[in-house]
Structures are given as C-alpha cells and as structure tokens.
Amino acid sequence: MAVWIQAQQLQGDSLHQMQSLYGQHFPIEVRHYLSQWIESQLWDAIDLENPQEEFKAKRLLDSLIQELQNKAEHQVGEDGFLLKIKLGHYASQLKSTYDRCPLELVRCIKHILYTEQRLVREATNSSSPVGGMMDSMSQKYQQINQAFEELRLLTQDTENDLRKLQHNQEYFIIQYQESLRIQAQLTSLATLPPADRQLREPALLNKRATVEAWLTREANTLQKYRLDLAEKHQKTLQLLRKQQTIILDDELIQWKRRQQLAGNGGPPEGGLDILQSWCEKLAETIWQNRQQIRRAEHLRQQLPIPGPIEELLNDLNSTITDIISALVTSTFIIEKQPPQVLKTQTKFAATVRLLVGGKLNVHMNPPQVKATIVSEQQAKALLKNENTRNDSSGEILNNNCVMEYHQTTGTLSAHFRNMSLKRIKRSDRRGAESVTEEKFTILFESQFSVGGNELVFQVKTLSLPVVVIVHGSQDNNATATVLWDNAFAETGRVPFLVPDKVIWPQLCDAINMKYKAEVQSNRGLSEENLVFLAQKAFSSSSNNPDDYRNMTMTWSQFNRESLPGRNFTFWQWFDGVMELTKKHLKPHWNDGAILGFVNKQQAQDMLMSKPNGTFLLRFSDSEIGGITIAWVAENPNKAGERMVWNLMPYTTKDFSIRSLSDRISDLNHLLFLYPDRHKDEVFSKYYTPPLSKAVDGYVKPQIKQVVPEFTTANPDPSSGNPTYMDHGASPAPVNHPHTYGIYPPMSDSILDTDGDFDLDDTMDVARHVEELLRRPVDSQWGGQQS
C-alpha cells in the first residue's frame, strides 16, 4: 500500500506530526496530488553531501514542477478552476524556492517520506497484537515510545504541581502581608488612649493569632508541596537517565558500530532521523524539567522556609545539568566519516552533526567546528581529559567549518567538503610495525551555548581510525590495518586497541563482507572457498571445515609474515584477488563461471574425470592478482595419455589488452566450462563484436590469443588478418612440450615450483603486441601462412 494512503489514516499525535512536516516549503497539496509520482522517484540515489549530484536534483525539481503543471492543466469544472490556479501557484513557488538549491528539495522530500514511513510503522505496530508477531526492533521502539509517553505525563504532572505550589505560595505571601499589616496596626495602638486601645486591641490580637496559625499550617503545607515536587522530579530524572542510557549507550552506539562495519563493506548504518527524533524528545523533556526545577528554586528563594528543600533542589539542578551535558556531548557525532585510508595532498570530506541542535536552539549562534589530526597516543590522552596542549600530528587545510541549520529537516551539521592533509608527523615505531600500521584519528571539536549562553559545552568527537599513506603502493597494507580494526574493535576500547589474534570464523565473516562489497556482488565466499583460504592461511591440507572452527589467526599471519615459499602475505594475495575480480571479472564471478579458490591439485582431480577440452578458472597461487585457466587435453608427447594443463596467469595488465571472455573465445581447444557447460553458453554474451570490414584499402589489425602447443588458428576472413599473442601453458605434471608459434621456445626456468609462471620472469605482453603491430603484415605472417 502506498505510504500516503496509510499516512492519511494516522490519528492523534501521529497525524499532527505528519501534518507538521508540511508548510510553505512544501505544501501538503503537492504531496497529495503527486503522491504516486513522489513515491516512485529514487530520492535515496542522490548523495546530499556531493555537490556534483546537484544536476540530478535539478532534474527531479524540473520533473516535479512539470508534473504539477500537467496536473493543473487537467483540472476541469468550477472546483477544478480553483485547484488549477492553486497548483500553478505551488509550481511557481517551488521553482522560486529551490531553483538555486535543488539538493534542499531532495533533503526535504527524503525527510518527509522517511518520517511518514516511521509514523505509519509505529502506528501499525501499536495497533497490532503484542507478541510473536512483533519483531524485537518493533518491541524496542515501542518500549522507547512508551517511556517517552510516561516522561510526558510525569512532566505534565510536575508542571501542574508547580503551578499549584506557585498559586498557594502567592496566596501565602498575601496572607503574610496581611499579618504584617495587623502587626503594624497593633503597634500603632500604643499612640491611642487606653480606652480606645482596649476597645480595638482584642479583635486585632485575635485576628493576628488566626492569621499566624494559618501561616504556620500553610508553611508546613508549602514545605510538603516542595518536597513532594522534588521527589517527583527525582523520579522523572531517574527515568530520563534510563531512557537516555538506552538511546545513547545502546541505540547510538549500535549505529556507530554499524557505521564502522559499513567501512568494511557491511550494510549501510541507516539514517539518523529516528535517533534524532528520540534525542530531540530527550532534549525537550530535559529542558522542560530543568526550567521547572529553576522555577521551584526561584519560589524557594522568594519564600525561604527552613528545611531540606534547598539541598534537594541543588542536587536536582546538578543532576539535570549532568544529564543535558551528556546528551549534548554524546550527540555531537560524525555522520559521514573521513576516508580511513587517507593519502596526503588529496582532497577528502566529512560531515559532523549535532542531533539536538534544533531543539536547543544552538543554531541561533552558529558554532564553528575545527578538525585536527591526532595520533593514537594523543587520542588516549584526550579521552582521559589530559591536557594535550592542542597538539596535532599534522596539518589539515580547510579544517574550519560553521554548522548550518537546515530548516526543512531540522538538522544542524557542518559539511567539510575540501579538506586536505598537507603533512603528517609520525611517531617512533616499534619492532615490526610499519607506517601502514600506524593509526591516527580526525578530532572534531566545537563549543555550544545553550539557553542563551546559560550553559556552555566544549564538545569533541573522534573519527574512526585512519591510516595515512603518501603513495598508492601503501594502500593495500593500510586497508588491512583498517579492515582488522573495523572488524574486531570492541565498544568503549582504549584507542585504538584491537586483539592480536581472532578465531578463523570471525576473520571469515570480515573478509567475506569485504569481498562482496569490493566486488559489488551478492555472491560471497562459499564454505569451499573459505576452506581453500584456510588451507592457504594455515598451510594445511585438510578439507574439513570443522578442523578450522577453533583455529586462531594472528595479525602477523594476516599481513606481516609472508606465506610459505612466497614473497607476499595472506592479505596481499587475497586483496589482489579482490582487485582483479572487481576490475575485470565481476560479471563472470556473478555468473558462477569462476571457481577461483581452487588449488592446482584440486583442479587436476576435478578435470581428469571430464572430457577433453573441459576447463576451469582458478586464482593463481604464486602471483598476486592472477587468474589461470586449467584444462584437460591429450599429451602430445604420449599417445593415449591425458593430462591437465595450466595457462600462465593473467593479470590486470593482460585484461586491459583483451578481456577474459575474448581470450576464452580465441582458444579453440577450450570447449566446456567445468563441469559440462559449453563455453559459448557462458561467455558469448561478453564477446567483443567482430571488427568491421576494410575501409579505404586499410585492414584493421586484430589482437587474438593463441597457445602455441594448441594452435588451431581459424581466423575470420571478414575481420582482416589477425595478429596473435601467444600465451604459455604448463602441463601438470610439467613436461617439455614442443613449442610452436612466433616466439622462441620458452625455457623451463620461467616455471615456478608449482608449475605457475612468475611475473618477473615472463614477457611483457603489451610490449610484444605493440611490436607485432608495427611489423608489416605480410612479412610477419608469411612464414606461417605458407
């Protein structure tokens, strides 16, 4: 059901909240008449923090105005005439309001839709039976909302009691003034003759006694009222603390944890609108109670009555100031984190936000936020409130920003759009630590005044850890540090402690999350893939997943120590696989065409039971970011014997020249993708279309791949004379096959111990192709065509 249809069925406070979303900035009539169009647009696809998205927002604004104008033109009849004028006016009004800032329109509509969905969801949950049908999230939200309703009733109750106390105290003061007037009259009797004094004095004395007795009783009553009110405020503040703990220490901390995992490729942390609405309700309730306590204090000062009330009110004042201080300082958060791998001299962005800024009118005196980069040690000192003498570990350009209040969404935030780290000051490293293991953080700090400078708060917040690099070659190892930190950091840790070792299933979850995010695929790592990775990580041959469940992997094993017999670490190899898949193999991985995580022996065992020409794709063991083709074929040196061959690994460099699908198409001896699918069925949709025929007597050269041992060239005459690239193959086990082709035979020295080819010893394919294309076609191919 459309959100707008459900929103119109809201009642009570929910309906009032929904109606308050609209106004001159966005009329409710526009929402009503364009409801279907509004809900069908991809508002969330626009990044509000990216100025380059403005043209998308402008298109949506223009479309919205066009829709309004179309709706207006189709109105007929007497009522239609008035509506036509009204909708036309709204179209002009929206264009005038948002033409220069179309992103604000997107921000406004996103806020409206999100709030409507929340209100509808809350209304649906509250009307449905409580029990198994309601999930834990809905139950939690309902408990929070119930607590807010209880706080509202308590605050209303103390407000009523306070008014009653004020009224009674005012009447008490009037009576007290009356007693003073009586006393003055009694004093003045001394000047009268004794007869007159005796005549008037008894009545005045009687009246004074009555008033004083009433004042004594009323003073006790007022004192009881004050104590009762203070006890009620104590109860309210206890519930406020509990509610604030749930929201700040549970919900907000969970949001921050989701934000941290999102840095590893986890699901988005979600919007802050619900959290902000809760924090604003807290701020409103706290401020109302604070004002009540101050009024109670004023009444006490106006009429001091001996008793414990003065101490009670001081305690209440101190408590509520602590509560509001915790709220303000905890809700100063980083909505958009700076990049966690931060390269010097490179522009970066971040956004900080105060979730209670609107309710506390902080924006009336817009605060400025400053960003500095600090080391791990400086971060520890900051959290201990130690004086760091404003130390920083580097210089950030454009590091000051004023917080802006967005009226349509009620958010107070500062958008740092053009920061750049000019220089970095590193600490002395110990042992095996490298620069890519050193963690820094961006410190954002500001000063907020609340209640007309009544309260002033110094606020600080630290970004997630960042690793500073100066060259792209450091990115791989820096990413490993960030991945480990994001995955295994504990809530409330000392900056930036992480465990030195974790159990293998935990690491599997982390790298699977990262893999899916980097490759942008729903196809993650299967249990078989993870067993392969465990075998690589622990130098094990076991195929049983249970054997790895309780094994632990240290940080050193992950990205300090090289794998046995290799010059790279486990992470460096895995990251190379991700990069290659992300850049060149994503569609094939998503199609399931790449087994990938299979070792050479496993590939041989799988292929030997299949017909000749069956092949599979596996990631190279010996080379970072390499993928090889293994296939089964006859042994040319021994009739009747079959063997598995492995092609020299392809890398990003190779695929920048010719794609994987085209290379597979070129190789006629590859027939079936394991287990039994014809290669054209899997890869043909990715083949590059044939080149056009010759134009003006010139023939376009075409790059094709051959494996000399398996060359059965069948060039397409319509595409011109092809230019071939040869690619070496190694059998398993390695033999010495004859070499056919345009290059000299390749010696066995280029094979590593596994039969794979080492990148440093292989030919530069791109250079040879370039050389081939410069040669005359006839002389190049004359010998082979004969």
Side-chain angles (χ1 to χ4, degrees):
M1 187 186 295
V3 175
W4 182 240
I5 294 174
Q6 295 174 298
Q8 293 174 80
Q9 298 169 8
L10 294 171
Q11 297 178 353
D13 183 54
S14 296
L15 179 61
H16 177 72
Q17 287 185 55
M18 187 270 286
Q19 290 171 335
S20 68
L21 294 170
Y22 299 95
Q24 287 189 341
H25 63 280
F26 197 81
I28 196 169
E29 291 89 342
V30 176
R31 176 71 174 100
H32 181 74
Y33 288 104
L34 297 186
S35 60
Q36 189 172 353
W37 182 89
I38 289 171
E39 292 179 33
S40 66
Q41 304 308 303
L42 300 176
W43 305 102
D44 285 333
I46 296 179
D47 181 3
L48 295 173
E49 312 308 330
N50 185 357
Q52 295 179 354
E53 299 271 73
E54 192 167 296
F55 76 99
K56 292 183 184 177
K58 183 67 165 62
R59 266 207 318 264
L60 280 170
L61 171 62
D62 293 341
S63 299
L64 174 67
I65 291 168
Q66 187 61 51
E67 288 289 325
L68 263 181
Q69 291 170 341
N70 292 343
K71 180 69 73 173
E73 288 172 6
H74 288 85
Q75 301 305 315
V76 294
E78 185 177 341
D79 293 338
F81 173 73
L82 295 174
L83 185 57
K84 181 176 183 177
I85 294 174
K86 204 170 190 179
L87 294 179
H89 170 70
Y90 289 148
S92 302
Q93 180 181 313
L94 289 172
K95 183 172 178 61
S96 172
T97 304
Y98 296 111
D99 202 42
R100 293 187 178 182
C101 52
L103 285 172
E104 285 304 307
L105 172 74
V106 177
R107 191 188 302 276
C108 168
I109 293 179
K110 285 174 75 170
H111 174 67
I112 285 171
L113 292 175
Y114 185 86
T115 306
E116 285 179 353
Q117 290 167 356
R118 175 175 61 81
L119 291 170
V120 166
R121 185 169 61 247
E122 289 174 357
T124 304
N125 288 340
S126 63
S127 62
S128 62
V130 178
M133 298 296 289
M134 186 180 294
D135 60 24
S136 59
M137 187 66 74
S138 300
Q139 285 182 331
K140 187 185 295 181
Y141 285 6
Q142 188 181 46
Q143 288 168 359
I144 289 173
N145 290 331
Q146 284 174 345
F148 273 125
E149 179 60 19
E150 186 178 350
L151 281 166
R152 188 188 69 79
L153 294 174
L154 285 171
T155 303
Q156 186 60 53
D157 186 35
T158 48
E159 177 65 29
N160 294 336
D161 285 357
L162 187 60
R163 288 175 182 171
K164 182 179 177 182
L165 173 62
Q166 183 175 352
H167 175 75
N168 288 353
Q169 183 166 312
E170 288 170 353
Y171 187 68
F172 179 92
I173 291 172
I174 291 172
Q175 294 302 311
Y176 180 72
Q177 293 296 327
E178 176 66 13
S179 74
L180 293 178
R181 190 180 62 82
I182 295 170
Q183 183 60 44
Q185 288 177 339
L186 284 169
T187 303
S188 67
L189 290 179
T191 61
L192 295 177
D196 290 341
R197 188 169 65 243
Q198 289 176 1
L199 182 65
R200 298 176 60 181
E201 189 175 48
L204 285 172
L205 288 171
N206 187 45
K207 190 174 183 180
R208 185 180 70 175
T210 302
V211 170
E212 287 182 347
W214 183 89
L215 288 173
T216 301
R217 289 197 313 273
E218 191 61 19
N220 291 328
T221 302
L222 287 174
Q223 185 73 314
K224 184 176 184 304
Y225 281 170
R226 289 176 177 180
L227 291 171
D228 289 346
L229 181 62
E231 288 175 2
K232 286 185 177 181
H233 274 130
Q234 284 178 328
K235 182 181 177 182
T236 303
L237 297 194
Q238 285 175 354
L239 184 56
L240 263 174
R241 271 196 187 279
K242 182 181 177 183
Q243 181 80 327
Q244 184 158 298
T245 299
I246 291 170
I247 292 169
L248 299 183
D249 294 353
D250 294 344
E251 298 300 315
L252 185 56
I253 293 298
Q254 286 178 25
W255 181 89
K256 289 181 178 180
R257 179 59 182 151
R258 291 195 301 272
Q259 185 185 54
Q260 190 173 26
L261 289 175
N264 275 6
E269 61 268 31
L272 285 164
D273 285 0
I274 287 180
L275 273 169
Q276 174 160 319
S277 70
W278 288 341
C279 291
E280 287 180 339
K281 283 182 180 178
L282 277 173
E284 201 169 21
T285 307
I286 291 168
W287 198 253
Q288 287 173 352
N289 279 273
R290 185 174 186 276
Q291 295 302 99
Q292 288 180 8
I293 293 167
R294 287 170 64 85
R295 282 159 56 197
E297 173 66 20
H298 178 71
L299 290 175
R300 188 201 65 79
Q301 292 172 352
Q302 192 180 43
L303 182 63
I305 302 174
I309 190 63
E310 182 176 0
E311 187 178 346
L312 280 172
L313 286 173
N314 286 337
D315 288 345
L316 288 172
N317 245 321
S318 175
T319 300
I320 203 157
T321 301
D322 287 345
I323 291 174
I324 198 168
S325 176
L327 179 66
V328 173
T329 54
S330 297
T331 55
F332 180 59
I333 63 168
I334 302 173
E335 183 177 8
K336 181 181 177 183
Q337 291 281 341
Q340 288 187 263
V341 177
L342 190 57
K343 189 179 177 186
T344 55
Q345 311 296 334
T346 303
K347 189 174 79 169
F348 67 97
T351 301
V352 293
R353 179 167 163 183
L354 181 64
L355 297 179
V356 295
K359 284 295 177 186
L360 297 180
N361 292 324
V362 172
H363 60 284
M364 301 304 287
N365 183 20
Q368 188 173 77
V369 184
K370 180 183 178 183
T372 51
I373 188 164
V374 298
S375 68
E376 188 171 333
Q377 287 301 118
Q378 290 164 340
K380 288 177 184 175
L382 279 168
L383 292 186
K384 292 178 182 176
N385 290 319
E386 295 177 3
N387 183 12
T388 58
R389 303 184 310 281
N390 295 319
D391 284 347
S392 70
S393 290
E395 181 182 352
I396 299 178
L397 303 178
N398 303 317
N399 66 330
N400 286 285
C401 186
V402 174
M403 299 196 86
E404 298 175 358
Y405 184 69
H406 302 278
Q407 189 72 41
T408 52
T409 58
T411 59
L412 181 72
S413 54
H415 306 287
F416 293 84
R417 294 185 174 90
N418 297 294
M419 287 192 289
S420 175
L421 182 58
K422 184 178 179 182
R423 62 177 181 84
I424 190 68
K425 183 172 67 178
R426 299 190 184 276
S427 59
D428 294 330
R429 291 178 298 282
R430 300 179 303 276
E433 286 185 3
S434 67
V435 295
T436 55
E437 293 181 35
E438 187 177 5
K439 299 173 192 173
F440 296 88
T441 180
I442 308 295
L443 165 68
F444 295 93
E445 50 190 339
S446 186
Q447 178 175 294
F448 300 143
S449 59
V450 176
N453 293 326
E454 210 176 292
L455 297 172
V456 178
F457 299 105
Q458 302 288 337
V459 295
K460 299 176 182 179
T461 187
L462 295 172
S463 75
L464 293 173
V466 299
V467 177
V468 178
I469 63 174
V470 296
H471 191 274
S473 61
Q474 298 172 313
D475 184 81
N476 172 288
N477 293 323
T479 301
T481 300
V482 167
L483 174 82
W484 191 277
D485 192 281
N486 286 345
F488 310 123
E490 295 180 359
T491 302
R493 63 170 171 175
V494 175
F496 289 107
L497 290 181
V498 284
D500 182 60
K501 61 182 179 181
V502 295
I503 60 171
W504 174 248
Q506 282 182 294
L507 186 62
C508 288
D509 289 342
I511 61 177
N512 184 40
M513 180 186 292
K514 185 69 174 176
Y515 187 85
K516 288 198 291 184
E518 287 294 312
V519 179
Q520 296 178 335
S521 172
N522 291 325
R523 182 192 169 200
L525 302 174
S526 65
E527 187 169 65
E528 291 79 10
N529 298 156
L530 295 171
V531 167
F532 169 87
L533 292 172
Q535 291 171 338
K536 180 175 287 292
F538 300 115
S539 300
S540 169
S541 59
S542 172
N543 289 319
N544 186 356
D546 292 334
D547 290 345
Y548 304 105
R549 301 253 184 252
N550 297 317
M551 293 185 73
T552 59
M553 190 168 191
T554 65
W555 165 251
S556 291
Q557 289 173 297
F558 184 67
N559 197 44
R560 267 193 194 159
E561 303 166 0
S562 294
L563 292 170
R566 307 296 182 199
N567 61 352
F568 48 79
T569 66
F570 173 84
W571 164 255
Q572 288 167 347
W573 181 89
F574 182 77
D575 186 59
V577 165
M578 284 196 302
E579 278 293 301
L580 181 72
T581 308
K582 175 174 69 175
K583 290 179 178 177
H584 300 288
L585 308 177
K586 181 164 62 175
H588 309 305
W589 173 263
N590 288 338
D591 290 346
I594 297 175
L595 290 179
F597 300 96
V598 177
N599 64 39
K600 179 169 283 189
Q601 185 58 51
Q602 288 172 327
Q604 181 168 333
D605 294 343
M606 294 163 71
L607 290 170
M608 286 301 290
S609 63
K610 298 297 178 183
N612 286 346
T614 303
F615 67 99
L616 58 79
L617 296 150
R618 67 179 187 85
F619 297 122
S620 170
D621 280 321
S622 61
E623 190 166 324
I624 294 178
I627 189 168
T628 186
I629 300 175
W631 74 97
V632 62
E634 295 292 335
N635 183 348
N637 296 325
K638 194 168 183 180
E641 181 179 289
R642 299 192 325 143
M643 61 196 316
V644 172
W645 298 73
N646 292 275
L647 204 59
M648 184 176 74
Y650 298 121
T651 63
T652 288
K653 180 177 65 176
D654 299 309
F655 292 134
S656 65
I657 298 169
R658 190 152 176 79
S659 70
L660 174 67
S661 56
D662 286 342
R663 289 173 182 273
I664 289 172
S665 174
D666 292 343
L667 301 178
N668 294 330
H669 60 277
L670 301 182
L671 303 176
F672 306 103
L673 178 67
Y674 183 88
D676 54 10
R677 296 176 68 190
H678 193 280
K679 70 177 182 181
D680 289 344
E681 176 190 339
V682 181
F683 296 101
S684 61
K685 57 186 173 182
Y686 304 112
Y687 293 163
T688 301
L691 294 174
S692 59
K693 294 183 180 291
V695 179
D696 298 330
Y698 289 98
V699 177
K700 288 186 179 179
Q702 180 180 0
I703 296 173
K704 283 199 174 182
Q705 175 180 260
V706 296
V707 176
E709 293 86 345
F710 295 86
T711 301
T712 55
N714 184 25
D716 180 0
S718 66
S719 62
N721 294 330
T723 298
Y724 289 94
M725 298 187 300
D726 64 349
H727 216 66
S730 66
V734 178
N735 286 330
H736 301 275
H738 297 293
T739 302
Y740 309 93
I742 61 177
Y743 294 125
M746 291 183 289
S747 65
D748 294 340
S749 62
I750 66 172
L751 297 175
D752 63 19
T753 54
D754 290 331
D756 282 338
F757 285 69
D758 289 327
L759 180 62
D760 294 338
D761 299 324
T762 60
M763 63 182 181
D764 185 336
V765 177
R767 176 167 52 79
H768 278 288
V769 170
E770 186 178 357
E771 180 185 334
L772 286 169
L773 292 178
R774 285 201 299 265
R775 297 178 186 173
V777 173
D778 290 342
S779 63
Q780 182 181 336
W781 297 103
Q784 295 206 11
Q785 290 173 341
S786 60

